[in-house]
Amino acid sequence: QVQLQESGPGLVKPSETLSLTCIVSGDSVRTSVSYWSWIRQSPGKRLEWIGYFYYSGTTNYNPSLKSRVTVSVDESKNQISLKLSSVTAADTAMYYCVRGAGWNYAFDYWGQGSLVTVSS
Amino acid sequence: QSALTQPASVSGSPGQSLTISCTGTRSTFGTYNFVSWYQQHPDKAPKLVIYEATKRPSGVSYRFSGSMSDNTASLTISGLQAEDEADYYCCSYAGVDTFWVFGGGTKLTVL
């Protein structure tokens, strides 16, 4: 059974960098044919795909966030990380770590989510 | 505004069948059928209920089915039960420029 567990600060100041990590168990971030993704959900409940790390090493990001986002992995810890720079109140959301199946492009496993509020 | 359009809310009585639509464009659906649907109960993470427009993951009730026609994907729930009350989101893999886009979500109420 694949499990994902996010962690990180719940409060970030405007203009600073949001950093989250996700521990993966039951699968490998470097051998599983999967798109290890971050998805966020705004307070208004809108879902937005942020970006992914593909097992081969490729990363790709939502064009609307591309200039501010970095997704990376730590293979030794089987962990995925998200960095989002220059945050504003509009980045306040629940952030989910998610596995995207490489064979059908569906998000089949989700973490429980990490709520991040951007406020001074 | 979402790239995929869903009704904000739908409702039905126990035992009824109900369909939620998800309308996009050729660019959001592309030439793929990589449409997925997610169920989200309050304070829970979304759960995959349909992938590749019509396929059901192992463990998901047979009462959930999906279909696709032109630029509209649909999720049908038959034999409505109280536990089906949740928010439902459609999602499409739109290709290597846009990647994934989501609908705005539909709140399903069981009367």
Side-chain angles (χ1 to χ4, degrees):
Chain A
Q1 177 75 351
V2 179
Q3 292 184 312
L4 304 99
Q5 177 74 51
E6 306 92 341
S7 61
L11 182 64
V12 181
K13 289 183 169 55
S15 80
E16 295 190 343
T17 296
L18 178 161
S19 294
L20 294 172
T21 58
C22 170
I23 300 258
V24 178
S25 58
D27 200 355
S28 168
V29 298
R30 285 310 300 265
T31 60
S32 171
V33 183
S34 300
Y35 296 93
W36 299 100
S37 292
W38 288 93
I39 292 172
R40 67 182 182 180
Q41 186 168 34
S42 66
K45 297 189 179 182
R46 185 174 75 98
L47 287 167
E48 182 178 34
W49 172 76
I50 298 171
Y52 72 67
F53 178 94
Y54 191 50
Y55 81 109
S56 62
T58 303
T59 55
N60 270 303
Y61 306 117
N62 188 316
S64 68
L65 299 169
K66 187 174 182 177
S67 63
R68 300 194 290 131
V69 175
T70 303
V71 176
S72 59
V73 302
D74 183 329
E75 188 176 354
S76 66
K77 297 179 181 177
N78 211 36
Q79 177 177 293
I80 309 157
S81 296
L82 169 70
K83 291 189 185 302
L84 180 65
S85 64
S86 305
V87 297
T88 69
D91 295 310
T92 293
M94 181 72 81
Y95 286 77
Y96 292 101
C97 174
V98 187
R99 190 183 86 165
W103 51 95
N104 61 25
Y105 298 93
F107 298 110
D108 54 2
Y109 290 96
W110 297 63
Q112 87 287 353
S114 181
L115 181 61
V116 178
T117 301
V118 178
S119 175
S120 55
Chain B
Q1 190 169 354
S2 301
L4 298 173
T5 301
Q6 299 179 235
S9 63
V10 295
S11 62
S13 300
Q16 285 185 327
S17 290
L18 190 151
T19 297
I20 300 172
S21 62
C22 171
T23 302
T25 65
R26 185 168 178 81
S27 64
T28 49
F29 288 125
T31 57
Y32 319 104
N33 261 4
F34 293 130
V35 175
S36 49
W37 287 90
Y38 302 87
Q39 175 192 61
Q40 186 178 33
H41 287 110
D43 299 321
K44 298 291 186 182
K47 172 191 173 185
L48 177 67
V49 294
I50 293 290
Y51 67 95
E52 289 185 38
T54 63
K55 298 177 181 178
R56 199 171 50 247
S58 173
V60 172
S61 172
Y62 68 93
R63 299 184 298 104
F64 289 83
S65 63
S67 63
M68 185 85 193
S69 178
D70 294 328
N71 290 326
T72 298
S74 298
L75 173 70
T76 297
I77 308 169
S78 60
L80 209 57
Q81 298 179 2
E83 67 202 49
D84 300 330
E85 186 163 291
D87 293 326
Y88 291 84
Y89 295 87
C90 62
C91 178
S92 174
Y93 177 74
V96 297
D97 293 321
T98 311
F99 303 101
W100 287 271
V101 292
F102 285 91
T106 299
K107 181 175 179 59
L108 188 159
T109 301
V110 180
L111 301 171

